[in-house]
């Protein structure tokens, strides 16, 4: 496939671009980052976005699929309004331009923040899954919520369209793992996302599986690693930090509390990396 990856210069984007190219796909990084992207595109400009997803001289005459990762990557990077306006505008432009270009295979980065992070209001149950309504607590998460809502409407308008939103956990690279043992001293440090993370390489695997998935309509998946960032057992963390939150089933020793059961079942996703392999 010829695949346009927006934000391919970021931490997750680099892994996604590398993984797709390793699989034999022709991949084009659309970005505005300081490092040289394949094509420099301001995704908040609809005209530039539409042009990039149709044809670019000396690059391609057609795009088969889009992976949309470009965004202000987290709350607190800039002002709330700037984060919201950038992210929702860029995502609308990518979705609308893909539709206009006849692209029916779209995968984009949603976010674990829709689960209710930072859980100042405790989660409804553990492990968390995709079954309860989104609970955006930040302007960043509000934009992600509207992206998921928008995708559902694009799919309603075009029954041939497949749009898969991946609610990625906190993205990590192997170099980040040296810090993980320090989290053990205080479980409160990482309770904000139930001690979850996603290795960028496993995030790339999820993107590959989502692109290859044979289906139509919108689907949303939590994408995390199979374990937590902690050395302590998952059951003990839940009992200590969220004693009043129901635990709906028995937990593996270090099992993620951000359920990836749906991604395993439908996409065939299975994390292959863990910070524990680095120590």
């Amino acid at each position: 496939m010829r695949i346009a990856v927006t934000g391919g210069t970021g931490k997750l984007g680099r892994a996604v671009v590398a993984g797709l190219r390793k699989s034999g796909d022709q991949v084009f990084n659309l970005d505005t980052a300081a490092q040289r992207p394949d094509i420099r595109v301001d995704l908040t400009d609809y005209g530039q976005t539409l042009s990039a997803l149709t044809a670019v001289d000396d690059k391609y005459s057609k795009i088969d699929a889009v992976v949309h990762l470009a965004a202000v990557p987290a709350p607190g990077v800039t002002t709330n309004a700037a984060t919201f306006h950038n992210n929702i505008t860029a995502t609308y432009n990518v979705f609308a331009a893909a539709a206009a270009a006849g692209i029916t295979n779209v995968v984009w980065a949603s976010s674990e923040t829709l689960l209710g992070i930072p859980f100042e209001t405790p989660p409804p149950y553990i492990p968390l899954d995709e079954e309860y309504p989104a609970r955006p607590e930040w302007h960043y998460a509000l934009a992600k919520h509207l992206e998921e809502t928008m995708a559902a409407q694009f799919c309603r308008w075009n029954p041939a369209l497949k749009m898969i939103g991946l609610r990625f956990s906190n993205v990590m690279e192997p170099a980040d793992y040296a810090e993980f043992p320090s989290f053990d001293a205080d479980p409160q440090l990482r309770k904000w996302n139930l001690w979850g993370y996603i290795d960028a390489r496993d995030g790339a695997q999820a993107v590959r599986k989502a692109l290859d998935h044979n289906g139509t309509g919108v689907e949303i998946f939590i994408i995390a690693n199979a374990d937590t960032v902690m050395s302590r057992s998952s059951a003990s963390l839940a009992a200590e930090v969220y004693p009043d939150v129901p635990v709906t089933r028995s937990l593996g020793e270090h099992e993620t509390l951000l359920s990836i059961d749906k991604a395993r079942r439908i996409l065939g996703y299975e994390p292959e990396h863990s910070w524990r392999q680095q120590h």
Side-chain angles (χ1 to χ4, degrees):
M1 288 190 290
R2 288 193 187 98
I3 304 171
V5 177
T6 74
T9 313
K11 184 183 281 190
L12 177 60
R14 292 191 300 270
V16 168
V17 169
L20 293 175
R21 285 177 175 162
K22 187 176 180 180
S23 297
D25 291 302
Q26 196 173 3
V27 182
F28 300 93
N29 173 18
L30 313 185
D31 212 331
T32 58
Q35 299 95 325
R36 185 177 180 273
D38 296 310
I39 301 168
R40 192 172 299 281
V41 182
D42 178 0
L43 296 172
T44 64
D45 182 310
Y46 178 72
Q48 289 189 41
T49 307
L50 177 61
S51 182
L53 295 185
T54 50
V56 175
D57 289 347
D58 199 38
K59 293 290 186 180
Y60 51 81
S61 59
K62 182 179 183 293
I63 288 292
D64 301 308
V66 176
V67 177
H68 176 45
L69 307 177
V72 176
V77 175
T78 183
T79 65
N80 294 341
T83 297
F84 179 88
H85 285 293
N86 179 88
N87 290 1
I88 198 68
T89 302
T91 298
Y92 167 78
N93 287 347
V94 169
F95 287 2
I103 299 167
T104 57
N105 192 356
V106 178
V107 176
W108 89 97
S110 188
S111 172
E112 65 179 357
T113 57
L114 293 188
L115 299 170
I117 287 170
F119 298 122
E120 291 176 4
T121 299
Y125 50 80
I126 292 173
L128 292 182
D129 57 26
E130 301 88 349
E131 296 305 313
Y132 65 96
R135 292 171 46 179
E137 303 290 356
W138 291 322
H139 292 80
Y140 170 86
L142 179 61
K144 293 294 185 183
H145 177 45
L146 295 178
E147 290 172 14
E148 292 188 358
T149 303
M150 185 162 49
Q153 299 309 309
F154 273 98
C155 289
R156 182 175 64 85
W157 294 343
N158 180 4
L161 180 59
K162 180 190 76 179
M163 301 186 77
I164 294 183
L166 302 177
R167 290 181 175 178
F168 289 109
S169 189
N170 190 195
V171 180
M172 299 289 181
E173 295 176 316
D176 298 316
Y177 293 149
E179 185 183 9
F180 279 30
S182 68
F183 300 148
D184 283 334
D186 183 3
Q188 300 290 326
L189 289 174
R190 295 280 308 191
K191 75 170 188 175
W192 59 270
N193 78 336
L194 296 189
W195 309 279
Y197 75 108
I198 178 66
D199 186 292
R201 296 164 293 180
D202 284 317
Q205 179 208 151
V207 169
R208 169 85 271 165
K209 300 281 191 182
L211 286 169
D212 291 345
H213 177 63
N214 184 20
T216 57
V218 65
E219 286 280 7
I220 305 298
F221 299 93
I222 294 171
I223 301 296
N225 269 74
D227 60 343
T228 70
V229 302
M230 304 291 281
S231 297
R232 290 178 48 183
S233 75
S234 298
S236 71
L237 289 166
E240 176 182 337
V241 180
Y242 294 107
D244 298 323
V245 173
V247 177
T248 58
R249 57 178 172 78
S250 61
L251 299 169
E253 184 177 7
H254 299 120
E255 180 181 347
T256 178
L257 302 181
L258 306 174
S259 174
I260 55 176
D261 290 349
K262 182 181 178 184
R264 281 172 160 153
R265 184 177 70 253
I266 295 176
L267 298 180
Y269 168 69
E270 191 59 53
E272 297 174 351
H273 303 279
S274 169
W275 72 275
R276 296 169 211 281
Q277 298 165 350
Q278 310 294 318
H279 294 275

